Amino acid sequence: MNDTEDGFSWLFGFESMSRHRASWMTGSDDVILEFLEDTGAGLNYQGIANNFEDRNIEISYKTITRRLPKLESAGLVRVLPGEGRYYAITEKGEQYLQGEADLRDEPEPNA
C-alpha cells in the first residue's frame, strides 16, 4: 500500500482507524473523503485537483472525475445545490472515515 492509498495517516503520523471499505473502493477514495472532511468545503473536480497538486497528493484529475460519481452514488458524498457540481462529504462518508460504517457489503454503484 502506498502513502496515497493509506489516506492522510502518513501526513499526520498516526495509524488509520479500522475502516471497512467496500470491495470496489480504492485508496484514492479514502484520500478524497478525508480531504473533503478536513476542508469542510464543497469543491468541484478542478478545485479538488488544484488542492491535491498544491499538497503534492498524487491523485489525477481523471481519477477524481471517475471516483466522485461512484462516491456520490454510494451516498458518501453529495452534490451541493446551485450551479455546477460541488461535492461535500455526507454523514455516511464521515461515519465510514471514523470506522463506524461497514461498507463491505455495499454493491458497486453504476456511476
Side-chain angles (χ1 to χ4, degrees):
M1 180 179 299
N2 66 35
D3 288 344
T4 301
E5 289 174 341
D6 196 30
F8 280 129
S9 63
W10 57 270
L11 180 62
F12 298 116
F14 58 83
E15 293 295 319
S16 62
M17 287 160 240
S18 179
R19 295 182 183 155
H20 303 290
R21 183 187 293 167
S23 62
W24 54 265
M25 292 177 74
T26 69
S28 295
D29 295 337
D30 283 11
V31 175
I32 292 167
L33 291 169
E34 289 170 356
F35 178 75
L36 290 173
E37 180 183 50
D38 184 52
T39 62
L43 296 164
N44 63 11
Y45 296 141
Q46 193 61 57
I48 294 169
N50 289 347
N51 277 280
F52 282 5
E53 185 176 331
D54 288 348
R55 291 166 173 77
N56 294 318
I57 298 170
E58 296 182 8
I59 297 177
S60 69
Y61 178 85
K62 184 176 179 179
T63 297
I64 293 165
T65 62
R66 279 194 337 260
R67 301 312 303 169
L68 277 171
K70 282 195 176 280
L71 295 173
E72 179 187 4
S73 291
L76 300 171
V77 299
R78 65 187 177 96
V79 175
L80 298 174
E83 287 191 39
R85 294 189 66 81
Y86 289 83
Y87 291 89
I89 193 166
T90 62
E91 185 175 330
K92 181 179 177 181
E94 290 173 343
Q95 289 171 344
Y96 162 72
L97 291 178
Q98 299 304 316
E100 297 169 1
D102 187 342
L103 305 181
R104 290 178 286 193
D105 293 330
E106 292 274 326
E108 183 169 359
N110 292 328

